[in-house]
Amino acid sequence: MSHFNTVIMVDWSGGNDRGPTPKKDAIWACVAGREPVYLRNRQVAEAWLCEQIEGAEGRVLAGFDFPFGYPKGFAGAVTGKADPLALWEWFEARIEDTPQGNNRFDLAGEINGMFPGIGPFWGNGRVKHDVAHLPRKGLARKGHGMPGKRACEDRAKGAFACWQMSGAGSVGGQVMMGLPVLTRLRARFGAAAWPFEPWRGADLALVEIWPSLIAADVAAAQRAGEIKDAAQVRVLAERVAALPEDDLAEMLDVTDPRACEEGWIFGLGHEGRLAGAALKPPPLRDDCFALPAGVDWTPVDEALDDLRARLRPVVARVEVPLAGALGRVLAEDVVARRSNPPQANTAVDGYGFAFDALGAGDQTLPLIEGRAAAGVPLEDTVPYGKAVRVLTGAALPDGVDTVILEEDVTLGEGAIAFREGVRRGANTRKAGEDVAAGEVALAAGRRVTPADLALAAAVGHGSLPVFERLRVGVLSTGDELVEPGAPAGAGRIYDANRVMLLGLLEEMGFAPVDMGRVGDDREALGARLDDASEKADVILTSGGASAGDEDHVSALLREAGAMSEWRIAIKPGRPLALGMWQGTPVFGLPGNPVAALVCTLVFARPAMGLMAGRGWLEPQAVELPAGFEKRKKPGRREFLRARMRGGAAEVFPSEGSGRISGLSWAEGLVELPDGAAQISPGDPVRFIPYESFR
Ligand code: AMP
Ligand code: MG
């Protein structure tokens, strides 16, 4: 972004001094690439801004989250000129502002006095003190002749109008208390006030922003414990600074004719670019797998808790049409836009009428002409005491609240007869009885199923916000490995892990990236990891993860300074090498296929689930009677290759960790607890079907 060298974003406030401790709803500002700064009042903020602008190298773009103008006609009515910048100066000359208080309500009342009727400003923050000409309620206004909103606000869903001087979300106070500061910055630094003045080549451009444009991204990028205002300015500064030059220019070149008087919201209509530039959250920290020194064999649950605490989503969000959303992870809650069913309708083919019109005993009701069918509603109201033909799915006509099944009536000449005993509302579906508009239909983090697609469609969605698929690179290591199907000499073995891991990832809904094989050669391995860290969000390696001479994965990661050997008390398994390579997490799995599979299912899968935005994934298990006998020593958790037959869990006769045939024979795993166990046939054991690991 070479139009500007420094980006500063400011979340403004119209209130009084907020005290020394960082608080929400105060002024927060952030220079792109640095940490957000808390500014307790406007005086402090103005001084800070001057300091940043003076100290900045090159051209500065500074964004402020309040309107730079008022609806069309206001500037002219107040100053006699339809020039928004004359209005800025007008305010600058009249606003009195100290950390202790300001005259914004009085000035709003004074301005209202210049207009006919009541308004346009409303809202008085002082409970006990009435202000002349300033109504407390927006509805009390009339006849002032000003538009309710600016042109850009018609398009910015949820934006507040600048007439509101107090109450939740009031923007009016912020504008009045902000424009004088901007006026002084403009005078002092020769700034261009966007979009009123040309921004190209300006040393300082002041730009109106509205963080709600990328609210969802801010929420996704908010750090634990971070104040929302701080996250807003941090994320927005980062995003704007990351915009390609052409995108930025296009976003600054506003064409709406009303913008030159009313101002405009930067990025409006270009939300995708603003979000798209960096929808992707920042990478994980290099020390995210570090373990305290001297840790002995860590119990499985502790290792899992550790992973869970250190990882978070690393994938970007995108909006995809329903047809492309199957199997993807929802990035946001999906809220019903309309109810399902949208209106009351009939559940059967039959006859509809008003229940209250029925008398005691058997019934005869005259039929009216016409019928209601699905998608073809009856326009007329059904008269009280009459019935109408209705077909399944038809909206209930006015005057109908109950339907009788056609099989339960005798159809006569222009009338139906049926026995007593019909219930009120029988055979009807109420509007919203399934899902009401505004309810969360599908929760964020869910992997979209075919049924979810149906639900999303029914409640009014044609596309869904999902995460990009987590790209997982798979790399096999070892001099002994040969590509499947190729001739293999003595002492060589086929690379079995890679196809298995790629397949597992596919089933889990991640995007597998085949990174091939490398021999036991540190340089080649380093180069391949470089490549993988570009192409994938996570890397799974198998082999070479222990601490032996040929264990180059762990050696390399250790050299890079970002590896820990996780010695987990699990069988089958060897130490896992967890580390970071160029900002990409690496799971160094054992080479042995059985251990590689178990460690992937037990450790890598939930970790990848978190990184993919699915949240932490616990496999669903069932308790089955054991169909085997086993004695187990304490001190580590064991996973046995198992399957369910005749309602019991069978296990593979050999526990040999090279027995790939056992993996293939099995349909899941039996999980035995950390402690000692003596299992006899019929004892309950925990069986986790392979399907549960998806
Ligand atoms: P390592 O962890 O490199 O010591 O390997 C442990 C065992 O797993 C050795 O017998 C390796 O030959 C075997 N192994 C390593 N990688 C693979 C692979 N991709 N496919 C099948 N076996 C492997
Ligand atoms: Mg090896």
Side-chain angles (χ1 to χ4, degrees), residues 330-353:
L330 288 177
E332 272 170 42
D333 285 348
V334 176
V335 174
R337 291 191 176 143
R338 89 198 293 234
S339 297
N340 182 49
Q343 67 266 314
N345 64 46
T346 166
V348 297
D349 290 349
Y351 299 87
F353 47 83

Side-chain angles (χ1 to χ4, degrees), residues 498-514:
R498 209 167 92 233
V499 281
M500 171 178 76
L501 294 173
L502 290 167
L504 274 175
L505 294 166
E506 183 83 54
E507 285 189 343
M508 291 173 183
F510 304 120
V513 182
D514 186 354

Side-chain angles (χ1 to χ4, degrees), residues 1-4 61 155 194-195 199-200 207 240 243-256 259 264-274:
M1 192 201 67
S2 64
H3 292 301
F4 296 96
L61 181 143
R155 288 175 53 182
W194 177 86
W199 60 270
R200 277 191 177 74
V207 172
V240 173
L243 281 170
E245 200 175 324
D246 291 349
D247 284 15
L248 181 76
E250 206 176 308
M251 291 159 83
L252 286 171
D253 290 334
V254 176
T255 52
D256 193 288
W264 196 255
I265 295 167
F266 171 78
L268 191 63
H270 302 278
E271 291 79 355
R273 288 185 198 184
L274 207 46

